[in-house]
Amino acid sequence: MTDAFKGKLSFLKDRVTKRIEQVIVPKSPLSLYDPMLYAVSSSGKQLRPVLLMLVNEALGGDLAQSIHAAVSLELIHNFTLVHDDIMDHDDLRRGRETVFKRWDENVAILAGDGLLVMAYLELAQTSPDSLAKVLHVFSQGILEVCEGQTLDKDFETREEISLQEYYEMIDKKTGQLFAVACQVGALLAGAHEEQTAAMVQYGKMIGRAFQIQDDLLDAISQEYVFGKNIGSDLEEHKKSFLVVHALNSPYRDKCERLIKKEKITSGDIQKIVQIFKKIGTIDAAKNEILQTLSHARNALAELPANENRDFLSELIDTIATRKS
Amino acid sequence: MTDAFKGKLSFLKDRVTKRIEQVIVPKSPLSLYDPMLYAVSSSGKQLRPVLLMLVNEALGGDLAQSIHAAVSLELIHNFTLVHDDIMDHDDLRRGRETVFKRWDENVAILAGDGLLVMAYLELAQTSPDSLAKVLHVFSQGILEVCEGQTLDKDFETREEISLQEYYEMIDKKTGQLFAVACQVGALLAGAHEEQTAAMVQYGKMIGRAFQIQDDLLDAISQEYVFGKNIGSDLEEHKKSFLVVHALNSPYRDKCERLIKKEKITSGDIQKIVQIFKKIGTIDAAKNEILQTLSHARNALAELPANENRDFLSELIDTIATRKS
């Protein structure tokens, strides 16, 4: 990572964090606002708002124009995490207890609802010229995230999932908010149609690669690095890239019984990951990530050559090398 | 109820229902859209959208202007019901199983989220001139509903609740969406500030009376009429008007032990309601409803005299006499 990009990332994240601190403040009833604050205070990678602002600047926009939509998107992302963690009974997120685990399910439902509504409140500050369009793109995007999460839950109990179905699911569940980030960044800069379409493609590919990498890290990372429980996808019978790839491979017989066990132990997880390595599933995931990211890089050709385009190119590299 | 008002109500509700049928259609994944459709298909009283449209017309607006905000508000109301039913473990709503009961908690979380997002998609169709303002009022309103629901849940485990705290809770949880309906109806008609403020007051009072009536019906109605489980407020240790009134009365000792029993049987409920009748709590609720509604009626004086103002006045009567 170049120093220039590092500096830019840290500057943009700082702006987002500062604005979030203005937007979500501890007030009464604390039993609503404390969990909301907790959810956003470990701010994570802030990839989505950073993308929105970088794309916007690369196309001639500026921060004053994009900050509210960017912050709104980060709040939306946090809303999805808080609700997903209830549904998945996940205990750990960004190295800390989830809202669901630290408080309870009711608190997490309300905190998630509150974050989503706060996101719309923040979005309402977008320039009135673009508001209707941005509101539509955001809402359509969140709806697709709900569809993706529904498919993700449905797939847990379905026997056969094709790679195509897997992609449909992750494109909605994860790719969509990345695509929305890039689309809205472009819209707010007044980009023309081809540029906007290219940015949507860039975001979608970044999101897809990000999710496959997430599936990979869930199997081969370490908890203290990843900040989430390792092997939780297998435990929850998620149809991750690895599982779908292995079950659609000629080596299906080698892992099917273990993957489909009702109660999967940590010993089982180790065995399954060993099989994934042996039958080429881990390599397939790594290849898929690189290929997807090359599509993202191609999409950047539609942008004028400038420093921000270089940053968007550097951002691609961080996806492939991320460890958490 | 006059025939003219009956006709108007049925016309407005029909418009809302037809639009909702256009907005929420069965599509893939059905495991998301079916529960959403189910939640809105038993369309209930549609009081909030009707209020929005009546206020709008009374101030010179028209249906083409208000229908999207009205439908959006009805979707928001349904979102709150679907999520509240999870938190309260309620099985019955409008005489049918709740989404939470018919499917499960995860489905209900996602269906609620989907309805909220659909509400914003529908709101995005509001005229761009008013959109930023309406988006702000709606979002601020929903946030207060979340605050009210948080207080409602917090109160279940708190020993002492004053009547003032009770009003703060129901004004947020129930009054707010009625107030938003009237405020946005006025805003979209281009009403001046005094009229808008009067309409906010009207809505707030209607909502407050509606909630006290709800608390009353929960105790003294019959399930087949009310469409919800009778006595569920007592079972769930809700701080309803009746409970708060009784526990703050000189006759507290007569009912405190029963009300605070961990597991309240249907026999207990009958006994508690008998005590409520004897110590004047039921009458107090009825009086409070009438007094609150008289404030609502006073607020109507700010409106120009026309047929729609008469309808808003008739609507007040339906609150006091409703059985379900």
Side-chain angles (χ1 to χ4, degrees), chain A residues 170-221:
Chain A
I170 66 163
D171 285 352
K172 285 173 181 282
K173 185 185 158 82
T174 309
Q176 193 56 36
L177 284 193
F178 284 87
V180 164
C182 297
Q183 184 176 359
V184 169
L187 275 174
L188 290 174
H192 59 66
E193 228 169 271
E194 289 76 28
Q195 287 174 327
T196 306
M199 287 305 92
V200 168
Q201 171 71 358
Y202 170 83
K204 188 176 160 186
M205 290 298 113
I206 291 270
R208 188 186 277 191
F210 182 88
Q211 184 60 54
I212 303 174
Q213 179 78 347
D214 217 61
D215 291 2
L216 189 60
L217 291 174
D218 186 86
I220 62 168
S221 183

Side-chain angles (χ1 to χ4, degrees), chain A residues 31 33 83 113 117 139 147 154, chain B residues 31 33 83 113 117 147 154:
Chain A
S31 40
Y33 289 101
H83 278 189
D113 292 347
V117 176
S139 301
E147 293 179 5
D154 287 353
Chain B
S31 40
Y33 289 101
H83 278 189
D113 292 346
V117 176
E147 292 178 5
D154 287 353

Side-chain angles (χ1 to χ4, degrees), chain A residues 27-33 36 79 83-84 86-89 105-107 109-110 113-118 120-121 123-124 126 128 131-133 135-140 142-151 153-154 168 172, chain B residues 27-33 36 79 83-84 86-89 105-107 109-110 113-118 120-121 123-124 126 128 131-133 135-140 142-151 153-154 168 172:
Chain A
K27 61 175 186 174
S28 173
L30 285 175
S31 40
L32 174 64
Y33 289 101
M36 285 167 66
F79 140 74
H83 278 189
D84 286 2
I86 308 172
M87 294 180 232
D88 291 338
H89 298 99
E105 185 187 287
N106 289 351
V107 168
I109 292 174
L110 279 165
D113 292 347
L115 286 169
L116 178 55
V117 176
M118 280 287 203
Y120 278 109
L121 262 181
L123 197 65
T126 299
L131 184 58
K133 179 75 184 159
L135 179 58
H136 183 85
V137 171
F138 263 57
S139 301
Q140 194 59 49
I142 308 169
L143 201 56
E144 290 210 19
V145 174
C146 292
E147 293 179 5
Q149 172 68 7
T150 302
L151 292 175
K153 297 307 291 179
D154 287 353
E168 189 199 345
K172 285 173 181 282
Chain B
K27 61 176 187 172
S28 174
L30 285 175
S31 40
L32 174 64
Y33 289 101
M36 285 168 65
F79 140 74
H83 278 189
D84 286 1
I86 308 172
M87 294 180 232
D88 292 337
H89 298 100
E105 185 187 288
N106 288 351
V107 167
I109 292 174
L110 279 166
D113 292 346
L115 286 169
L116 178 56
V117 176
M118 280 287 203
Y120 279 109
L121 261 181
L123 197 66
T126 299
L131 184 57
K133 179 77 184 155
L135 179 58
H136 183 86
V137 172
F138 264 57
S139 301
Q140 195 59 49
I142 309 170
L143 202 56
E144 290 208 19
V145 175
C146 292
E147 292 178 5
Q149 171 69 5
T150 301
L151 292 175
K153 296 307 291 178
D154 287 353
E168 189 201 344
K172 285 173 181 282

Side-chain angles (χ1 to χ4, degrees), chain B residues 166-317:
Chain B
Y166 167 79
Y167 281 122
E168 189 201 344
M169 182 267 283
I170 66 163
D171 284 352
K172 285 173 181 282
K173 185 183 157 85
T174 309
Q176 193 56 38
L177 284 194
F178 284 88
V180 164
C182 297
Q183 184 176 0
V184 169
L187 275 174
L188 290 175
H192 60 66
E193 229 169 89
E194 289 76 28
Q195 288 175 325
T196 307
M199 287 304 93
V200 168
Q201 172 71 358
Y202 170 84
K204 189 177 158 185
M205 291 298 114
I206 292 268
R208 189 186 277 190
F210 182 88
Q211 184 61 53
I212 303 174
Q213 179 78 348
D214 217 63
D215 291 1
L216 189 60
L217 291 174
D218 187 86
I220 63 168
S221 183
Q222 281 126 345
E223 196 163 296
Y224 71 93
V225 182
F226 193 38
K228 301 189 223 178
N229 302 114
I230 298 304
S232 66
D233 284 349
L234 289 165
E235 268 172 21
E236 294 164 15
H237 299 96
K238 291 277 183 204
K239 295 296 188 297
S240 71
F241 179 89
L242 306 177
V243 168
V244 175
H245 181 272
L247 292 182
N248 284 290
S249 79
Y251 308 103
R252 175 185 182 118
D253 290 351
K254 292 198 189 302
C255 52
E256 186 175 10
R257 190 192 55 80
L258 272 175
I259 287 175
K260 294 194 172 163
K261 269 181 70 176
E262 204 186 315
K263 182 129 190 59
I264 293 178
T265 65
S266 57
D268 295 332
I269 291 172
Q270 285 183 6
K271 278 185 218 157
I272 296 171
V273 173
Q274 282 313 313
I275 299 170
F276 283 165
K277 284 183 183 159
K278 216 178 291 175
I279 68 176
T281 288
I282 301 291
D283 285 337
K286 288 180 177 169
N287 281 337
E288 195 58 32
I289 291 165
L290 292 179
Q291 214 180 327
T292 306
L293 290 176
S294 82
H295 294 312
R297 206 176 306 276
N298 290 340
L300 287 181
E302 279 289 334
L303 293 188
N306 59 34
E307 192 186 27
N308 283 293
R309 188 178 79 170
D310 297 340
F311 290 153
L312 288 169
S313 179
E314 276 206 65
L315 195 138
I316 292 176
D317 305 323

